[in-house]
Amino acid sequence: GTIAAIDRATGFALDGRASGIVTGPIDKKALYDVGFRHPGHTEYLAELCSRRVGSDLTPVMLLTGPELSCVPVTIHIPLAEVPRQLTSELIVTTCRITAADYRRRLGVAAPRLAVSGLNPHAGEKGAIGGEDEAVIRPAVEMLRAEGIDAVGPLPADTMFHPPARARYDVAICMYHDQALIPAKTLAFDQTVNVTLGLPIIRTSVDHGTALDLAGTGRANPESLAVAMQLAAELAA
């Protein structure tokens, strides 16, 4: 039922019968048990859209709220896998898609991207890990050479206080929790998950299934309402 609903909604959007889709949370474990082989909604939607357009699409997860917008470069993978999967090419691709959709869909003519480091203190010039200088800095330099306003690698622990947030439009983070912890801490009920890099508009709630609240009348619908509102605004 869940997979069929995603298929049908995506088909409606690709056919122009819907202006976009808004998704709720899915129980990934239940889907994995019946053979679902994608890490989550985002990756599956990208495959469905890729089939239609005939080329591989790279989905980018944007968490956007009233005070902070974040993009994780790597998403639903174990933390131990992050250094192995993080490449300059992946960072550059993620930032290109983010900048393009900020201009095209979110109406920001010259988006400012703050790119986090991976290690504490952004590696402290190689003293605390080599990825920041070997992988992240070359990506930022490549982006700047292309005319994209990107700065970094920046220490993640000083990127999210108010004066720092005022200096950029979106934070590009290296792994899932580096992006989602500050976004959800600042505005759990007002943050929306938007998938960039696809030919359709897709927004989603920023929370899980909360099965313990199902049927109790205590679940908070605010995140879903905000996701629907943003989808309508993006489609306008």
Side-chain angles (χ1 to χ4, degrees):
T2 299
I3 298 170
I6 299 170
D7 290 347
R8 191 175 184 189
T10 305
F12 282 169
L14 287 167
D15 291 339
R17 297 172 64 188
S19 298
I21 63 175
V22 181
T23 60
I26 58 176
D27 186 337
K28 295 183 180 65
K29 176 63 166 59
L31 292 183
Y32 296 160
D33 288 345
V34 296
F36 187 70
R37 59 183 179 81
H38 299 272
H41 253 133
T42 299
E43 296 84 357
Y44 184 50
L45 288 167
E47 180 174 301
L48 293 175
C49 292
S50 295
R51 290 179 198 164
R52 179 66 67 92
V53 303
S55 62
D56 289 338
L57 298 171
T58 300
V60 170
M61 177 190 288
L62 168 68
L63 274 292
T64 183
E67 298 182 62
L68 175 65
S69 295
C70 289
V71 165
V73 174
T74 62
I75 307 178
H76 297 120
I77 61 173
L79 187 58
E81 285 291 319
V82 171
R84 289 190 279 271
Q85 295 198 23
L86 195 64
T87 64
S88 297
E89 291 76 16
L90 181 59
I91 296 167
V92 168
T93 297
T94 301
C95 289
R96 283 175 181 157
I97 292 169
T98 301
D101 270 7
Y102 256 75
R103 290 190 295 265
R104 178 170 64 107
R105 284 201 167 136
L106 285 96
V108 180
R112 301 165 298 164
L113 280 58
V115 182
S116 79
L118 174 67
N119 298 293
H121 304 176
E124 207 159 293
K125 298 181 180 178
I128 315 177
E131 294 89 354
D132 303 271
E133 295 300 320
V135 177
I136 303 172
R137 190 175 301 281
V140 172
E141 291 172 354
M142 191 180 307
L143 291 162
R144 293 188 65 81
E146 295 178 8
I148 294 175
D149 185 357
V151 296
L154 303 173
D157 63 346
T158 56
M159 280 181 60
F160 300 112
H161 63 291
R165 297 200 306 270
R167 294 194 288 267
Y168 59 81
D169 297 299
V170 57
I172 308 296
C173 301
M174 295 304 108
Y175 56 92
H176 183 278
D177 286 7
Q178 194 180 52
L180 273 68
I181 287 173
K184 292 185 178 185
T185 299
L186 284 168
F188 187 83
D189 293 320
Q190 294 85 39
T191 295
V192 179
N193 177 356
V194 183
T195 305
L196 308 180
L198 301 183
I200 62 172
I201 291 169
R202 182 267 181 139
T203 67
S204 182
V205 297
D206 73 340
H207 58 70
T209 52
L211 294 176
D212 57 314
L213 295 177
T216 67
R218 294 187 290 113
N220 186 344
E222 185 172 358
S223 184
L224 179 59
V226 174
M228 295 171 66
Q229 181 179 3
L230 180 57
E233 291 172 3
L234 293 175

